PDB file of all heavy atoms in Angstrom:
ATOM      1  N   ILE A1530      43.444  22.803  -2.710  1.00 95.00           N
ATOM      2  CA  ILE A1530      42.853  22.547  -1.383  1.00 95.00           C
ATOM      3  C   ILE A1530      43.935  22.481  -0.300  1.00 95.00           C
ATOM      4  O   ILE A1530      43.821  23.112   0.745  1.00 95.00           O
ATOM      5  CB  ILE A1530      42.069  21.207  -1.384  1.00 95.00           C
ATOM      6  CG1 ILE A1530      41.046  21.191  -2.506  1.00 95.00           C
ATOM      7  CG2 ILE A1530      41.462  20.921  -0.015  1.00 95.00           C
ATOM      8  CD1 ILE A1530      39.647  21.557  -2.115  1.00 95.00           C
ATOM      9  N   GLU A1531      44.961  21.714  -0.587  1.00 97.00           N
ATOM     10  CA  GLU A1531      46.057  21.613   0.387  1.00 97.00           C
ATOM     11  C   GLU A1531      46.640  22.989   0.688  1.00 97.00           C
ATOM     12  O   GLU A1531      46.866  23.345   1.840  1.00 97.00           O
ATOM     13  CB  GLU A1531      47.210  20.759  -0.169  1.00 97.00           C
ATOM     14  CG  GLU A1531      46.993  19.274  -0.144  1.00 97.00           C
ATOM     15  CD  GLU A1531      48.039  18.534  -1.020  1.00 97.00           C
ATOM     16  OE1 GLU A1531      48.838  19.197  -1.743  1.00 97.00           O
ATOM     17  OE2 GLU A1531      48.024  17.308  -0.970  1.00 97.00           O
ATOM     18  N   ALA A1532      46.904  23.725  -0.368  1.00 97.00           N
ATOM     19  CA  ALA A1532      47.535  25.040  -0.205  1.00 97.00           C
ATOM     20  C   ALA A1532      46.647  25.954   0.633  1.00 97.00           C
ATOM     21  O   ALA A1532      47.129  26.665   1.519  1.00 97.00           O
ATOM     22  CB  ALA A1532      47.810  25.668  -1.565  1.00 97.00           C
ATOM     23  N   ASN A1533      45.339  25.897   0.382  1.00 97.00           N
ATOM     24  CA  ASN A1533      44.415  26.726   1.152  1.00 97.00           C
ATOM     25  C   ASN A1533      44.524  26.448   2.636  1.00 97.00           C
ATOM     26  O   ASN A1533      44.669  27.365   3.446  1.00 97.00           O
ATOM     27  CB  ASN A1533      42.975  26.401   0.744  1.00 97.00           C
ATOM     28  CG  ASN A1533      42.458  27.392  -0.271  1.00 97.00           C
ATOM     29  OD1 ASN A1533      43.142  28.354  -0.594  1.00 97.00           O
ATOM     30  ND2 ASN A1533      41.267  27.155  -0.777  1.00 97.00           N
ATOM     31  N   HIS A1534      44.448  25.168   2.957  1.00 97.00           N
ATOM     32  CA  HIS A1534      44.421  24.821   4.376  1.00 97.00           C
ATOM     33  C   HIS A1534      45.758  25.071   5.047  1.00 97.00           C
ATOM     34  O   HIS A1534      45.833  25.611   6.140  1.00 97.00           O
ATOM     35  CB  HIS A1534      43.927  23.393   4.561  1.00 97.00           C
ATOM     36  CG  HIS A1534      42.460  23.292   4.268  1.00 97.00           C
ATOM     37  ND1 HIS A1534      41.499  23.637   5.190  1.00 97.00           N
ATOM     38  CD2 HIS A1534      41.794  22.960   3.134  1.00 97.00           C
ATOM     39  CE1 HIS A1534      40.302  23.508   4.651  1.00 97.00           C
ATOM     40  NE2 HIS A1534      40.457  23.094   3.395  1.00 97.00           N
ATOM     41  N   GLU A1535      46.805  24.718   4.328  1.00 98.00           N
ATOM     42  CA  GLU A1535      48.120  24.888   4.933  1.00 98.00           C
ATOM     43  C   GLU A1535      48.478  26.371   5.073  1.00 98.00           C
ATOM     44  O   GLU A1535      49.031  26.789   6.087  1.00 98.00           O
ATOM     45  CB  GLU A1535      49.156  24.162   4.074  1.00 98.00           C
ATOM     46  CG  GLU A1535      50.293  23.623   4.924  1.00 98.00           C
ATOM     47  CD  GLU A1535      51.317  22.881   4.073  1.00 98.00           C
ATOM     48  OE1 GLU A1535      50.881  22.038   3.244  1.00 98.00           O
ATOM     49  OE2 GLU A1535      52.517  23.169   4.219  1.00 98.00           O
ATOM     50  N   ALA A1536      48.140  27.140   4.051  1.00 98.00           N
ATOM     51  CA  ALA A1536      48.451  28.570   4.121  1.00 98.00           C
ATOM     52  C   ALA A1536      47.702  29.220   5.277  1.00 98.00           C
ATOM     53  O   ALA A1536      48.273  30.007   6.041  1.00 98.00           O
ATOM     54  CB  ALA A1536      48.101  29.252   2.801  1.00 98.00           C
ATOM     55  N   ALA A1537      46.428  28.871   5.414  1.00 98.00           N
ATOM     56  CA  ALA A1537      45.648  29.452   6.519  1.00 98.00           C
ATOM     57  C   ALA A1537      46.291  29.072   7.850  1.00 98.00           C
ATOM     58  O   ALA A1537      46.514  29.927   8.715  1.00 98.00           O
ATOM     59  CB  ALA A1537      44.196  28.965   6.462  1.00 98.00           C
ATOM     60  N   ALA A1538      46.620  27.799   7.993  1.00 97.00           N
ATOM     61  CA  ALA A1538      47.209  27.343   9.261  1.00 97.00           C
ATOM     62  C   ALA A1538      48.541  28.045   9.518  1.00 97.00           C
ATOM     63  O   ALA A1538      48.797  28.518  10.633  1.00 97.00           O
ATOM     64  CB  ALA A1538      47.396  25.827   9.233  1.00 97.00           C
ATOM     65  N   ASN A1539      49.370  28.150   8.502  1.00 98.00           N
ATOM     66  CA  ASN A1539      50.683  28.787   8.682  1.00 98.00           C
ATOM     67  C   ASN A1539      50.559  30.252   9.087  1.00 98.00           C
ATOM     68  O   ASN A1539      51.251  30.730   9.989  1.00 98.00           O
ATOM     69  CB  ASN A1539      51.506  28.736   7.386  1.00 98.00           C
ATOM     70  CG  ASN A1539      51.942  27.323   7.055  1.00 98.00           C
ATOM     71  OD1 ASN A1539      51.790  26.415   7.877  1.00 98.00           O
ATOM     72  ND2 ASN A1539      52.479  27.116   5.853  1.00 98.00           N
ATOM     73  N   ILE A1540      49.711  30.954   8.364  1.00 98.00           N
ATOM     74  CA  ILE A1540      49.609  32.397   8.608  1.00 98.00           C
ATOM     75  C   ILE A1540      49.011  32.675   9.984  1.00 98.00           C
ATOM     76  O   ILE A1540      49.471  33.560  10.714  1.00 98.00           O
ATOM     77  CB  ILE A1540      48.777  33.071   7.488  1.00 98.00           C
ATOM     78  CG1 ILE A1540      49.538  33.005   6.159  1.00 98.00           C
ATOM     79  CG2 ILE A1540      48.419  34.501   7.840  1.00 98.00           C
ATOM     80  CD1 ILE A1540      50.893  33.698   6.159  1.00 98.00           C
ATOM     81  N   ILE A1541      48.016  31.887  10.348  1.00 98.00           N
ATOM     82  CA  ILE A1541      47.404  32.094  11.668  1.00 98.00           C
ATOM     83  C   ILE A1541      48.417  31.755  12.765  1.00 98.00           C
ATOM     84  O   ILE A1541      48.587  32.507  13.726  1.00 98.00           O
ATOM     85  CB  ILE A1541      46.104  31.267  11.813  1.00 98.00           C
ATOM     86  CG1 ILE A1541      45.037  31.815  10.856  1.00 98.00           C
ATOM     87  CG2 ILE A1541      45.590  31.305  13.250  1.00 98.00           C
ATOM     88  CD1 ILE A1541      43.792  30.959  10.727  1.00 98.00           C
ATOM     89  N   ALA A1542      49.132  30.644  12.578  1.00 97.00           N
ATOM     90  CA  ALA A1542      50.111  30.244  13.599  1.00 97.00           C
ATOM     91  C   ALA A1542      51.196  31.310  13.746  1.00 97.00           C
ATOM     92  O   ALA A1542      51.633  31.631  14.853  1.00 97.00           O
ATOM     93  CB  ALA A1542      50.727  28.896  13.240  1.00 97.00           C
ATOM     94  N   LYS A1543      51.628  31.881  12.639  1.00 97.00           N
ATOM     95  CA  LYS A1543      52.666  32.910  12.719  1.00 97.00           C
ATOM     96  C   LYS A1543      52.166  34.159  13.432  1.00 97.00           C
ATOM     97  O   LYS A1543      52.860  34.737  14.267  1.00 97.00           O
ATOM     98  CB  LYS A1543      53.156  33.273  11.312  1.00 97.00           C
ATOM     99  CG  LYS A1543      54.468  32.558  11.009  1.00 97.00           C
ATOM    100  CD  LYS A1543      54.872  32.521   9.557  1.00 97.00           C
ATOM    101  CE  LYS A1543      55.119  33.763   8.830  1.00 97.00           C
ATOM    102  NZ  LYS A1543      55.300  33.696   7.402  1.00 97.00           N
ATOM    103  N   GLN A1544      50.937  34.537  13.112  1.00 98.00           N
ATOM    104  CA  GLN A1544      50.392  35.741  13.753  1.00 98.00           C
ATOM    105  C   GLN A1544      50.227  35.544  15.262  1.00 98.00           C
ATOM    106  O   GLN A1544      50.384  36.481  16.044  1.00 98.00           O
ATOM    107  CB  GLN A1544      49.060  36.129  13.102  1.00 98.00           C
ATOM    108  CG  GLN A1544      48.451  37.420  13.643  1.00 98.00           C
ATOM    109  CD  GLN A1544      49.393  38.610  13.521  1.00 98.00           C
ATOM    110  OE1 GLN A1544      50.098  38.765  12.523  1.00 98.00           O
ATOM    111  NE2 GLN A1544      49.445  39.461  14.544  1.00 98.00           N
ATOM    112  N   GLN A1545      49.918  34.303  15.646  1.00 97.00           N
ATOM    113  CA  GLN A1545      49.729  34.015  17.077  1.00 97.00           C
ATOM    114  C   GLN A1545      50.972  34.298  17.905  1.00 97.00           C
ATOM    115  O   GLN A1545      50.896  34.440  19.115  1.00 97.00           O
ATOM    116  CB  GLN A1545      49.380  32.531  17.287  1.00 97.00           C
ATOM    117  CG  GLN A1545      48.159  32.061  16.565  1.00 97.00           C
ATOM    118  CD  GLN A1545      46.907  32.148  17.416  1.00 97.00           C
ATOM    119  OE1 GLN A1545      46.848  32.953  18.346  1.00 97.00           O
ATOM    120  NE2 GLN A1545      45.906  31.354  17.090  1.00 97.00           N
ATOM    121  N   LEU A1546      52.134  34.335  17.264  1.00 97.00           N
ATOM    122  CA  LEU A1546      53.356  34.642  18.007  1.00 97.00           C
ATOM    123  C   LEU A1546      53.390  36.109  18.425  1.00 97.00           C
ATOM    124  O   LEU A1546      54.130  36.498  19.308  1.00 97.00           O
ATOM    125  CB  LEU A1546      54.595  34.343  17.158  1.00 97.00           C
ATOM    126  CG  LEU A1546      54.780  32.901  16.689  1.00 97.00           C
ATOM    127  CD1 LEU A1546      55.963  32.794  15.756  1.00 97.00           C
ATOM    128  CD2 LEU A1546      54.955  31.981  17.886  1.00 97.00           C
ATOM    129  N   PHE A1547      52.597  36.912  17.751  1.00 97.00           N
ATOM    130  CA  PHE A1547      52.613  38.349  18.029  1.00 97.00           C
ATOM    131  C   PHE A1547      51.363  38.787  18.788  1.00 97.00           C
ATOM    132  O   PHE A1547      51.462  39.408  19.838  1.00 97.00           O
ATOM    133  CB  PHE A1547      52.764  39.126  16.716  1.00 97.00           C
ATOM    134  CG  PHE A1547      54.074  38.797  16.056  1.00 97.00           C
ATOM    135  CD1 PHE A1547      54.193  37.700  15.216  1.00 97.00           C
ATOM    136  CD2 PHE A1547      55.202  39.548  16.340  1.00 97.00           C
ATOM    137  CE1 PHE A1547      55.416  37.367  14.653  1.00 97.00           C
ATOM    138  CE2 PHE A1547      56.428  39.220  15.778  1.00 97.00           C
ATOM    139  CZ  PHE A1547      56.533  38.122  14.940  1.00 97.00           C
ATOM    140  N   THR A1548      50.211  38.473  18.208  1.00 97.00           N
ATOM    141  CA  THR A1548      48.972  38.751  18.942  1.00 97.00           C
ATOM    142  C   THR A1548      48.145  37.478  18.900  1.00 97.00           C
ATOM    143  O   THR A1548      48.034  36.866  17.835  1.00 97.00           O
ATOM    144  CB  THR A1548      48.136  39.866  18.272  1.00 97.00           C
ATOM    145  OG1 THR A1548      47.613  39.369  17.038  1.00 97.00           O
ATOM    146  CG2 THR A1548      48.965  41.099  17.994  1.00 97.00           C
ATOM    147  N   THR A1549      47.589  37.088  20.017  1.00 96.00           N
ATOM    148  CA  THR A1549      46.752  35.880  19.964  1.00 96.00           C
ATOM    149  C   THR A1549      45.547  36.140  19.068  1.00 96.00           C
ATOM    150  O   THR A1549      45.129  37.289  18.886  1.00 96.00           O
ATOM    151  CB  THR A1549      46.208  35.485  21.353  1.00 96.00           C
ATOM    152  OG1 THR A1549      45.695  36.657  21.965  1.00 96.00           O
ATOM    153  CG2 THR A1549      47.263  34.867  22.231  1.00 96.00           C
TER     154      THR A1549
END
Side-chain angles (χ1 to χ4, degrees):
I1530 306 263
E1531 283 166 353
N1533 263 355
H1534 289 279
E1535 212 179 312
N1539 291 350
I1540 293 300
I1541 293 170
K1543 260 164 61 189
Q1544 183 57 40
Q1545 302 267 25
L1546 300 174
F1547 297 86
T1548 69
T1549 47

